[in-house]
Amino acid sequence: MTHTMKMIEKCEVSPPPGSVPSTTIPLAFFDLPWLCCPPLKRIFFYHFPHSSKHFFQTLLPTLKHSLSLTLQHFYPFSSNLVFPPKSNPPHILYTQADSISFTVAESSADFISLVSDSPKDITVLHPFVPVLPPSQTLEDGTFLIPLMAIQVTVMPRSGFTICITFRHVVADGRAFHHFMKFWASICKFNGDLGLASLALPLHNRDIIQDPTGLKHIFLQELSNLLPENVESMGEIRDVPCDMVRQTFVLSHDQVVKLKKWVSVECKSHGLELPHLTTFVVTCSLIWVCKVKSEEIKTGNLLPSNDESYILAFMADCRNRLEFSIPLEYFGNCLVCGNAEVKRSKLVGGNGILEAAIAIGSEVRNLQRGTFEGAETLMSNFTEFATLGKHMTIIAGSPNLEVYETDFGWGKPKRSEVVHADNSGFISLSDCREKEGRIEVGLALQKIQMKKFSTILEEHLTEFGVLLTRKVYSYELP
C-alpha cells in the first residue's frame, strides 16, 4: 500500500541567542575513526490519538522550545565538522549562526503496523528519516559538514515519530541518548531544568589520555581522506527489493535459560566458563541463527566451512576506574571487539557455545584496562568494507535504555536503528514492556528472514528441553 508524506514545515532550531559562545572542540583519538562511518539514524514512535491540528498547535511548539534549551548544553550537534585548508586536522566548530535542520511532516502510514514486531519492507521507514543539509565550502577552502538533522512526522489520530540523523564523529550512542533523554525531560517538565534532573554533558577533551599516541597514528591514516568523501559516505545505497526488517523479543526467562544452558554445556565439555552476560548469550544465539539461515539465502552455495566469521561490537570506556572518564562525557568513547569463529563451528552442534566462548573472551579482553580495542578501531573500518557477508556488526545496546526517552506522552511504542537496514547489522535494545527483555532487530532478504525466524524458535524450544535433562542428570549422585 502506498502512503503519502506531506511536508508541513522546514525550519532551523538553535540554542537560545547568546547562550553559547563560539567554541572549537578538537577531535580525540576516540572520535577520528568515526570520520569513516556513514550517518546514524534512530527513530522513535510515540502514541498520540489526536488530530494533526492539535499536534501542530500544542506539542510541536513545546518540542521546538525544549530542543532549543537542550542545544544550549549539547551544542556540538548544532555545530559543523570543519576540514581546514592546508592539511590542518579536522575539528568541530560551533558559531552563534549555527543551528539544526528541523523538518515537520504528515504521513498517512499505518502507525500500528509500523510499531509491530512483524516483518516490514526495508524502505518503509525511509520517508521518516531526515537528510543532513549539504556541506559548505568557504572562500579560504575550509569545508563545513553539518552534524545533525531532525524530522518529526505526525500520523493523524494514531501517533508521531521523531527521527534523528547524525554523524558518529560527533557522538557515540551513550552521548546521543544522553541528549535524547535530556531533550525529552526538558520537554516533559516544560523547560524546568531542575525538575528534569539530568546531569549536564562534559565536553572537556583533555580528560582523554593518549599514552600510545593513537591520535597521531589515526591522523596519518586519515591524511588522504577527502572531506567530500566523508560527506557522501552512506547516503546513497541500492537496497535489495526483497529486504525486510523484523524485531524479535527475548524474554527474561529465555535469557536466563540460555545462560544456564551455556553454563551446563561448558561443564559437560570441560571448558572454562565464558564471561556470561545477557549481551554475550543474546549475541551468540542471534549470530548462530543468522549464519545458519544463510543456507537458504545462497541456494546451498555456501562458503567454505574453514572461513572465519567475525562479530564486531563496541565497548564503552566511560565509568571505568583506569580511564577516569565519567558517564556524562560527550563525544566518542568506544573500543572495538572482534569475536572470530570458523563457520564450521558456528553451524555445528555446539555453535552457540563456540560463539559464547569467543564473544565472552573478547569482552574480557576489552575489560583489562588497555586501549587494545581502540588501536584496532581504524583498521576495523577497512575490514567492514572488505569482509562483507563474513562480518556482522552489533549496533546499539540494552544498557542505553532507549525506552526511557519520555517526552511527556509515555515511553516510545517502538524505537529502531534505521541505518541497520542490511544483513551486516544486528541491533540490540532494551524493551518497552518489561524489565529484562531484549529487543533484537535485523534486516534480511525475505526468504532468509523466514528461515532465521524458524531456526531461532527451534533453538529457544530446544534449550528448555535440553536444560531440563542435563540439569537433572548432573543432580544425580
Side-chain angles (χ1 to χ4, degrees), residues 447-460:
I447 193 167
Q448 186 184 356
M449 185 68 84
K450 288 181 181 178
K451 183 72 172 175
F452 172 89
S453 183
T454 300
I455 295 170
L456 177 62
E457 193 61 42
E458 288 172 352
H459 275 304
L460 291 173

Side-chain angles (χ1 to χ4, degrees), residues 26 75 98 103 131-132 138 190 197 209 216 262 359 379 399 407:
Y75 58 87
D98 290 335
T103 301
V131 176
L132 288 165
L138 304 183
N190 231 1
S197 67
Q209 303 298 312
H216 176 73
V262 171
I359 297 168
S379 61
N399 295 332
F407 282 82

